[in-house]
């Protein structure tokens, strides 16, 4: 048995990311992320979620991620975690807010779950933009876990700007499509009872 863990990022994610055109508007960044979440349904990688890290100075895409839970067999590979890990590896630092880099934003199709909220705080990003809510993900059976009732306030108190429910309807549509397609609802409420 090996002592190493390998994560393989499917080429389709980077090929999809090549189509992003930098924009200063959060809605444009969210459109890209929601499109990635919908593309992920076709790719069958691990669920209806996507996230990306963007520079806030020139609005360039740094990294994109989708849930790779099913594809890689690792429960921690949520879209936000994948996007954060990829940005850290690409930029050569575990701290995306180390002062040597421009401020970074995490844009995510659904607000961070319990695990991703922690990863967001520790990553060093300066801004979070989310689409669908926990309630939206829970409504199709996912268990987003316990977190502060006002998670956005908790991040703001730590100096992280938060903008929620950006293009929420479009993000919900992808969640519902995943449910209609019979997608695997992993880490669901029914698995914890």
């Amino acid at each position: 048995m090996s002592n190493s863990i390998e994560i393989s990022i499917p080429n389709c994610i980077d090929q999809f990311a090549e189509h992003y055109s930098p924009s200063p508007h959060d809605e444009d960044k969210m459109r890209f992320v929601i499109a990635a979440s919908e593309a992920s349904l076709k790719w069958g990688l691990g669920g209806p979620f996507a996230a990306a890290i963007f520079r806030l100075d020139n609005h360039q895409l740094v990294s994109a991620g989708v849930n790779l839970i099913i594809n890689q067999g690792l429960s921690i590979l949520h879209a936000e975690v994948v996007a954060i890990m990829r940005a850290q590896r690409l930029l050569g630092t575990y701290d995306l807010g180390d002062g040597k880099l421009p401020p970074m934003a995490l844009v995510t199709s659904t607000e961070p779950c319990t695990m991703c909220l922690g990863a967001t705080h520790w990553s060093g990003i300066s801004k979070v933009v989310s689409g669908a809510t926990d309630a939206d993900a829970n409504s199709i059976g996912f268990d987003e876990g316990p977190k502060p009732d006002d998670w956005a306030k908790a991040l703001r108190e730590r100096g992280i700007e938060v903008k929620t429910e950006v293009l929420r309807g479009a993000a919900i549509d992808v969640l519902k499509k995943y449910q209609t397609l019979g997608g695997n609802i992993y880490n669901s409420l029914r698995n914890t009872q």
Side-chain angles (χ1 to χ4, degrees), residues 10-93:
N11 291 333
C12 54
I13 298 170
D14 290 332
Q15 291 166 352
F16 184 85
E18 291 173 5
H19 300 288
Y20 174 72
S21 296
S23 169
H25 305 291
D26 291 335
E27 292 78 10
D28 292 334
K29 293 177 179 82
M30 183 61 74
R31 278 186 196 88
F32 167 80
V33 168
I34 290 170
S37 69
E38 187 158 25
S40 180
L41 302 184
K42 294 179 211 158
W43 301 331
L45 299 178
F49 306 102
I53 302 290
F54 297 90
R55 291 173 54 138
L56 288 174
D57 61 343
N58 63 11
H59 308 287
Q60 292 286 329
L61 173 66
V62 176
S63 65
V66 298
N67 274 34
L68 295 175
I69 293 166
I70 295 167
N71 177 268
Q72 298 287 310
L74 296 168
S75 64
I76 66 166
L77 293 183
H78 289 203
E80 296 92 334
V81 171
V82 172
I84 290 167
M85 289 187 333
R86 295 189 76 205
Q88 291 170 335
R89 192 51 53 119
L90 289 166
L91 297 172
T93 180

